[in-house]
Every structure is written in C-alpha cells, then in structure tokens.
C-alpha cells in the first residue's frame, strides 16, 4: 500500500493507544469509538502498550496485533503523548488514521519535569514520522487541525472528542445544589499540571477572600501530572493561608466529578494551553458558569456560552469570576447559550461521525 492507499472493504477498525485509564478523556473517547464501530457490525479492539489493571478487560497488548491483523484492517492511533507505537504503526502496511488530541508544548513543562517535557518533544517528532504514512488525520478541534497541517498531514478533518461525561452521568440543571449561604464554590477539573496554571486560580481566590467573598472556596479535581508542580502548588496554597479553603481531590471517579459539577458555582480554566478541554463541555451540560483564559481551542469550544478573561492579574480574574457567578442568577439566558453552544459542537453524534470518516476510506 502507498502512503495514502486503502485496502479492500473494512475488516476491522482497531485503536492503538499507549494506555487506557478509567475516567481519562482519551481513554473514554477510545472506548466509545470502539463501541460505535462494533455497533455497526465491524470488529474493533483496543491495543495498548501498557495494560492498566482496571481496564485490562477492555484492552489487548499491542504484541497480539501481529497475529490478529487481517487484510482490510484500518488502524487508528490515538496521539496525545509519545509512544513506541507511533514509529511501529508508521512502518506497517495497514491503512493508518491518526486521531490527534494535542501535544502540550514542552516549554510549559520543562522547568518542572524535564523527563515529561522530553516526552512531549518525542510526541512532536512522532507527528512528523506519522504524517507521510497517514491516510487521514482527525483532530478534535480546528485549533488542533492547524497543527496537523503544519506537520505535513495531507488529509485532515475535525471531529470533537466523544470524551465528556454523558448527560445521564451529569447532574440535570434543576438538580444542581445551591446553598443560599456561604461563599462561592470554585472548581478546577483536569490534570494537576503546569500548563493548567492552577496557581492563577489560587491567587485569585486569595484576592476574592480578602476583598469580596470571604467564604469562597476552591475544589481541584485531577491526578497530579508531576510531583514537583503538585508539591509547589500545595506549598503556595499554604503560604497564602488558604489550606482550609482549597481542597485537592486527586484522581476521582466519574460519580465524584459529576457531584462536583452539581455543587459548584463556577468552573475556572486558567490553562496556558488547551487543545479542546472536555471539562468545559461537561460544565456547559450541567449549566455551570465557565470562566476561561482566552487561548488555544477554548474560544472554539466555549464560544459565547462562558466568560473569557484576558489578563492573568489575580484582581482581574477574581472580579471576572464574581461577575460570572452573579450572572448565573439571572433568567435563562446563560443556560440557553450553553445549550446552543453544545448543539453547535454536535457531541451526541461525534463517535458516529468519526466512524463514518474512517469507514469512508475503503470506498
């Protein structure tokens, strides 16, 4: 097969990802794509480089694929981090699809964890290795698609990730818990990583508690990406006298995350870089106000359904969050904007549209 050649009718669509974590956005997305493929009567398995105990029943070791491979297979590589899978897949002959979830710029990580940063450099190199061999590269945002074009991928498309908690898992707007007394409850969801710039939220919280909302609190839900940043963030919280006001939840179950959306007043996203940001979608579904730094894919994902801030000054951020929380008490306009933005993203059909594109390679 040539660089962009396709084989006979599709025999199977198999997914390749370094590891599948329960509750991880890429893992959930991959599982849903597999299920959507199987629902059409097309075989689909997930092959991993590292078998995670809690998802071992859902995956197969990548070493098994050489025996399982059949003519007409399409292989889909879920690219977010570096993996030996990338050059290995590039060297095989099956029709190759790359599903690109963004690569965090190494410079945002290097001062905290050089090993982690070097992994992102290798992931960027993987893009260049995969580009000549890829029949189709699918980005999860238009922002990410630009990276694919710059890396040399000849054929690209955009399909939002099928990765958010489902409507059944998230709280209905009418079931959100609203307490008449006490300060606003701020929420951050996602990996506790340097590129998330959670220290900016902490600084804004200190300002809010000192000047406008003495009872404001912050919940940080997510697994630490690197010990150095996590330790420094805890120390910063203590140094600002916020130990009792900031709770670190660590890696949490889907039910715990859903409960956090049900009981918070605002989701705050201060990331220096985002290729999509699944928590924004989840917050919109739960009709939770969103305050986000205007960068990366966030303007595309959030649209007019939230509030953007332009400066990392903690006084500016604290004032922006206070205005967003106050605005949530207005009539239904914020909720209608959230629903309209979700309709534009068309997440409910994302997995099916992805499969349509991949199956179409055989025609």
């Amino acid at each position: 097969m040539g660089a962009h050649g396709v084989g006979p009718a599709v025999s199977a669509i198999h997914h390749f990802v370094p590891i599948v974590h329960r509750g991880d956005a890429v893992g959930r997305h991959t599982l849903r794509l597999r299920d959507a493929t199987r629902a059409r009567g097309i075989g689909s398995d997930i092959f991993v480089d590292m078998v995670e105990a809690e998802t071992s029943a859902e995956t197969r070791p990548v070493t098994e694929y050489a025996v399982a491979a059949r003519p007409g297979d399409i292989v889909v590589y879920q690219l977010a981090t570096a993996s030996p899978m990338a050059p290995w897949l590039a060297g095989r002959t099956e029709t190759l699809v790359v599903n690109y979830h963004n690569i965090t710029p190494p410079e945002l990580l290097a001062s905290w964890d050089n090993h982690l940063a070097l992994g992102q450099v290798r992931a960027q190199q993987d893009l260049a290795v995969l580009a000549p061999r890829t029949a189709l590269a699918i980005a999860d945002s238009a922002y990410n698609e630009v990276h694919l074009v710059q890396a040399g991928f000849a054929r690209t498309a955009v399909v939002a990730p099928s990765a958010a908690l489902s409507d059944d898992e998230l709280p209905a707007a009418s079931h959100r818990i609203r307490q008449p007394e006490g300060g606003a409850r701020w929420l951050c969801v996602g990996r506790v990583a340097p590129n998330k710039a959670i220290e900016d939220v902490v600084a804004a919280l200190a300002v809010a508690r000192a000047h406008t909302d003495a009872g404001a609190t912050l919940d940080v839900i997510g697994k630490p990406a690197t010990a150095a940043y996590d330790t420094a963030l805890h120390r910063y919280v203590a140094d600002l006298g916020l130990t009792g006001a900031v709770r670190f939840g660590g890696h949490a179950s889907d039910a715990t995350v859903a409960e956090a959306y049900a009981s918070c007043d605002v989701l705050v996203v201060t990331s220096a870089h985002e290729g999509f940001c699944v928590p924004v979608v989840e917050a919109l579904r739960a009709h939770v106000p969103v305050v986000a730094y205007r960068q990366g894919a966030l303007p595309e994902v959030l649209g007019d359904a939230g509030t953007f801030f332009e400066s990392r000054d903690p006084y500016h951020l604290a004032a922006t969050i206070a205005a967003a929380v106050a605005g949530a008490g207005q009539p239904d306009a914020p909720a209608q904007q959230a629903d309209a933005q979700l309709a534009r993203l068309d997440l409910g059909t994302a997995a099916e549209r992805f499969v349509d594109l991949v199956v179409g390679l055989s025609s």
Side-chain angles (χ1 to χ4, degrees):
M1 248 177 240
H4 301 292
V6 294
V10 178
S11 57
I13 299 173
H14 295 304
H15 293 270
F16 293 76
V17 62
I19 192 169
V20 173
H21 294 294
R22 185 74 65 187
D24 172 75
V26 174
R28 187 185 292 120
H29 169 74
T30 305
L31 289 165
R32 288 177 178 171
L33 291 182
R34 179 204 62 185
D35 293 346
T37 305
R38 288 179 174 179
R40 298 194 186 190
I42 301 172
S44 186
D45 286 322
I46 300 172
F47 292 89
V48 296
D49 207 25
M50 296 170 284
V51 177
E52 174 79 12
E54 65 177 354
T55 58
S56 59
E58 306 278 7
T59 63
R60 300 175 64 179
V62 69
T63 51
E64 294 183 1
Y65 182 65
V67 176
R70 297 290 182 270
D73 279 2
I74 296 177
V75 298
V76 181
Y77 180 51
Q78 303 291 338
L79 175 55
T81 59
S83 169
M85 281 183 169
W88 178 75
L89 287 170
R92 293 189 62 84
T93 59
E94 290 86 6
T95 299
L96 173 63
V97 174
V98 169
N99 191 188
Y100 179 56
H101 300 275
N102 193 264
I103 297 168
T104 302
E107 58 270 21
L108 295 178
L109 307 173
S111 61
W112 295 99
D113 190 321
N114 198 46
H115 177 74
L116 193 61
L118 287 173
Q120 299 307 94
V121 172
R122 290 193 294 270
Q124 291 174 337
Q125 294 168 344
D126 286 346
L127 274 178
V129 170
L130 291 163
R133 255 285 290 131
T134 299
L136 174 65
I138 303 176
D140 56 14
S141 65
Y143 173 79
N144 283 341
E145 186 181 28
V146 172
H147 297 174
L148 293 174
V149 173
Q150 292 172 340
F153 289 87
R155 183 178 178 184
T156 62
V158 176
V159 179
S162 184
L165 292 176
S166 68
D167 290 338
D168 291 338
E169 294 168 310
L170 287 165
S174 59
H175 294 158
R176 288 198 50 228
I177 302 166
R178 294 179 175 85
Q179 298 177 0
E181 298 179 358
R185 294 154 298 182
W186 302 8
L187 175 66
C188 291
V189 177
R191 290 184 312 134
V192 179
N195 58 295
K196 301 294 184 180
I198 299 170
E199 65 274 14
D200 289 347
V201 190
V202 173
L205 180 70
V207 170
R209 287 175 61 88
H211 296 282
T212 59
D213 188 356
T217 57
L218 169 64
D219 275 357
V220 179
I221 295 181
K223 182 180 179 180
T226 176
Y229 178 73
D230 185 56
T231 299
L233 190 61
H234 278 77
R235 186 168 60 247
Y236 187 49
V237 167
D239 288 347
L240 291 178
L242 297 173
T243 300
V246 179
R247 185 179 72 88
F248 291 90
H251 179 68
S253 66
D254 291 348
T256 299
V257 175
E259 182 181 348
Y261 286 120
S263 59
C264 76
D265 293 298
V266 61
L267 176 74
V268 186
V269 181
T270 48
S271 302
H273 181 84
E274 287 286 355
F276 187 84
C277 197
V278 168
V280 165
V281 170
E282 294 171 338
L284 292 180
R285 281 180 166 169
H287 290 174
V288 172
V290 179
V291 172
Y293 186 52
R294 190 187 296 276
Q295 57 74 36
L298 286 171
E300 175 185 349
V301 177
L302 183 55
D304 297 327
T307 304
F308 289 102
F309 64 97
E310 313 289 344
S311 167
R312 292 190 174 278
D313 178 87
Y315 289 87
H316 171 71
L317 178 54
T320 304
I321 293 171
V325 171
Q330 297 174 357
D332 294 334
Q336 292 171 354
Q337 290 175 324
D339 293 342
Q341 178 63 15
L342 290 171
R344 281 189 287 271
L345 293 172
D346 194 13
L347 298 170
T349 65
E352 288 70 25
R353 287 184 284 122
F354 188 103
V355 178
D356 284 342
L357 287 170
V358 175
V359 170
L361 292 173
S362 66
S363 59

